[in-house]
């Protein structure tokens, strides 16, 4: 059905789409290529939340009249008013003859309606070209649109013998400089960074993104009793980088009031059986606040809470070529653990690559294995 040229143009659209990573959330990353008489006459992508959509961005950069041209776009064009007017109207007005979409839009306001509108106006429509890669690219958007909860990414750095810190608690630094830079790039891709109060008290981190031009994530602190120190780096920088403190009903109101006066937003969450933040409830509340993605940089206990409840979607594990030992030195996941090996949380590994002198293992929870199906084949 698809020609080599079709595939080439859609691959280019996917490359363009990814340029919006970290800037368009909670919107999807979308790229578009317009071709006329076998020649590319325009390219575009969604550059920032509220900015032109990929289709209209491409139409605005046409080097010649797009009437009769073919548009390749990674996601079905929208047909409703939001921050921008409907892309379907712009496509119809421009006289585009054919639209090839990578996938239909999971947004219930669109969900096939955009393609139908185009067909009704005599435009030839095809969908499903490199659909696996299109869905992979927008896995965050798909989950947020269908479940109204953020995509949860668990990131951790450990030694070769599986320690995230020495028995003394020292963790500066487990991973190499290249890996730490990569971690900052990851921070810039997600709307929130989550850490537990134990990690904040032990390390006094900033949890911001130190990549020029990157969008700063909301720093989310899971702190049942609102113990966040007023002199911590998180509190001191609340006026510059946003902070959301998640607490339970057990937190003292005076502590919550003090933190609010420092510019910190707060949200009350349900407690789990241990009196800690119920992570499932927290994720629901983050989704309600419009956060489509969260990267977790907490300690062993918060990692266990997410894994045991099946909340982690994606994993980045940096493994440093060091052995530190110590029977009391913590690993990346704590808690009581699963009782049997057959109960272990399975990970679908996508890649194992070098990160400076470290190794980076990237994968997905078993429940998300489907987003990898066919991906290796499509990339050939």
């Amino acid at each position: 059905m698809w020609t080599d040229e079709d595939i080439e143009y859609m691959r280019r659209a996917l490359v363009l789409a990814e340029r919006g990573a970290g800037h368009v959330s909670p919107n999807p990353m979308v790229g578009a290529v317009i071709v006329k008489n076998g020649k590319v006459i325009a390219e575009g992508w969604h550059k920032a939340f509220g900015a032109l959509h990929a289709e209209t961005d491409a139409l605005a950069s046409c080097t010649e009249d797009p009437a009769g041209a073919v548009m390749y776009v990674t996601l079905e064009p929208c047909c409703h008013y939001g921050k921008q007017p409907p892309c379907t109207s712009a496509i119809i007005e421009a006289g585009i003859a054919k639209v090839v979409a990578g996938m239909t839009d999971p947004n219930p306001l669109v969900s096939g309606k955009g393609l139908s509108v185009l067909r009704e106006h005599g435009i030839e429509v095809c969908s499903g070209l490199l659909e696996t890669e299109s869905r992979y690219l927008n896995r965050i958007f798909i989950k947020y649109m269908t479940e109204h909860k953020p995509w949860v990414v668990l990131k951790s750095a450990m030694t070769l013998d599986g320690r995230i810190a020495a028995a003394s608690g020292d963790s500066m630094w487990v991973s190499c400089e290249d890996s730490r830079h990569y971690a900052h790039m990851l921070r810039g891709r997600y709307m929130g960074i989550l850490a537990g109060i134990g990690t904040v008290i032990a390390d006094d981190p900033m949890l911001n993104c130190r990549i020029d031009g990157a969008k700063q994530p909301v720093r989310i602190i899971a702190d049942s009793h609102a113990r966040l120190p007023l002199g911590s780096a998180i509190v001191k920088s609340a006026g510059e980088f946003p902070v959301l403190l998640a607490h339970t009903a057990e937190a003292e109101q005076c502590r919550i009031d003090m933190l609010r006066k420092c510019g910190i937003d707060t949200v009350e969450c349900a407690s789990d059986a241990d009196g800690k933040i119920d992570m499932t409830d927290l994720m629901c509340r983050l989704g309600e606040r419009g956060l489509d993605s969260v990267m977790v940089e907490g300690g062993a206990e918060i990692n266990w809470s997410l894994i045991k409840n099946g909340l982690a979607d994606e994993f980045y594990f940096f493994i440093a070529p060091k052995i530190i030992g110590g029977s009391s030195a913590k690993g990346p996941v704590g808690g009581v653990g699963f009782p049997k090996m057959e109960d272990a949380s399975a990970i679908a590994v996508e890649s194992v690559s070098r990160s400076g002198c470290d190794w980076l293992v990237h994968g997905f929870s078993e429940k998300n294995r489907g987003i990898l199906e066919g991906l290796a084949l499509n990339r050939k």
Side-chain angles (χ1 to χ4, degrees):
M1 177 181 178
W2 308 113
T3 67
D4 290 343
E5 289 77 16
D6 289 330
I7 294 172
E8 177 186 350
Y9 296 138
M10 188 60 78
R11 286 198 190 283
R12 176 57 183 168
L14 286 163
V15 170
L16 294 169
E18 194 163 15
R19 293 181 181 179
H23 298 284
V24 302
S25 298
N27 283 352
M29 291 178 278
V30 186
V33 175
I34 301 176
V35 179
K36 187 172 183 178
N37 298 323
K39 182 180 71 173
V40 174
I41 64 168
E43 295 183 341
W45 67 96
H46 187 30
K47 295 180 172 64
F49 179 71
L52 290 175
H53 289 184
E55 299 93 327
T56 49
D57 185 54
L59 288 169
S61 65
C62 284
T63 57
E64 60 181 87
D65 186 356
V70 179
M71 175 181 285
Y72 295 84
V73 60
T74 57
L75 183 71
E76 173 187 7
C78 66
C79 55
H80 65 289
Y81 281 89
K83 294 287 184 181
Q84 293 289 329
C87 290
T88 50
S89 298
I91 292 170
I92 293 165
E93 184 178 345
I96 295 292
K98 180 179 180 179
V99 172
V100 180
M103 61 175 283
T104 56
D105 192 335
N107 186 339
L109 294 174
V110 187
S111 192
K113 300 182 186 73
L115 299 179
S116 295
V117 168
L118 296 176
R119 289 192 184 98
E120 290 168 3
H121 284 80
I123 297 174
E124 184 183 351
V125 173
C126 299
S127 181
L129 174 57
L130 297 186
E131 181 174 6
T132 301
E133 293 188 346
S134 296
R135 294 181 65 83
Y136 178 89
L137 178 71
N138 275 313
R139 55 194 182 273
I140 292 173
F141 179 69
I142 292 170
K143 180 182 179 182
Y144 186 65
M145 277 292 114
T146 56
E147 299 182 27
H148 309 294
K149 296 176 184 177
W151 181 266
V152 180
V153 178
L154 197 155
K155 172 261 172 184
S156 188
M158 69 195 79
T159 59
L160 196 60
D161 56 338
R163 268 65 168 183
I164 60 174
S168 65
D170 178 60
S171 61
M172 301 292 182
W173 293 98
V174 174
S175 56
C176 68
E177 186 175 349
D178 286 349
S179 296
R180 298 196 299 274
H181 179 77
Y182 192 98
H184 277 280
M185 290 179 63
L186 289 174
R187 285 182 182 181
R189 294 181 69 99
Y190 307 110
M191 292 190 75
I193 300 295
L194 172 64
I197 185 61
T199 296
V200 173
I201 290 176
D203 299 338
D204 194 25
M206 280 286 288
L207 295 178
N208 63 323
C209 178
R210 294 160 207 168
I211 303 294
D212 290 342
K215 188 176 179 180
Q216 290 295 332
V218 176
R219 299 172 298 170
I220 306 157
I221 311 302
D223 183 7
S224 303
H225 295 89
R227 295 187 294 135
L228 182 62
L230 299 182
S232 64
I234 293 286
V235 174
K236 288 180 178 179
S237 60
E240 185 178 4
F241 307 118
V243 183
L244 175 63
L245 184 132
H247 63 88
T248 68
E250 297 301 314
E252 295 182 359
Q253 188 61 47
C254 62
R255 285 291 305 168
I256 296 171
D257 291 341
M258 282 191 290
L259 290 167
R260 285 176 178 169
K261 287 180 181 179
C262 294
I264 292 175
D265 194 6
T266 64
V267 59
E268 183 177 318
C269 298
S271 302
D272 63 14
D274 299 317
K276 298 178 180 179
I277 299 288
D278 183 306
M279 286 296 152
T280 301
D281 185 54
L282 174 58
M283 293 307 151
C284 290
R285 294 180 182 275
L286 294 179
E288 291 170 356
R289 286 171 170 257
L291 273 70
D292 69 355
S293 54
V294 174
M295 185 165 82
V296 184
E297 293 199 54
E301 298 308 312
I302 199 169
N303 289 347
W304 165 246
S305 182
L306 291 163
I307 290 172
K308 76 174 180 179
N309 288 298
L311 297 172
D313 295 297
E314 188 170 1
F315 300 83
Y316 287 91
F317 277 11
F318 294 89
I319 303 174
K322 304 172 183 177
I323 295 177
I324 196 166
S327 58
S328 61
K330 288 186 176 181
V333 183
V336 297
F338 295 110
K340 296 181 180 179
M341 192 60 68
E342 64 185 27
D343 300 325
S345 180
I347 306 300
V349 175
E350 185 199 18
S351 63
V352 179
S353 58
R354 293 299 297 266
S355 176
C357 63
D358 301 333
W359 287 96
L360 170 58
V361 179
H362 175 224
F364 298 86
S365 61
E366 188 65 24
K367 66 181 180 181
N368 291 315
R369 176 181 288 276
I371 68 172
L372 296 178
E373 292 178 359
L375 192 60
L377 179 62
N378 288 343
R379 283 176 170 170
K380 291 181 180 179

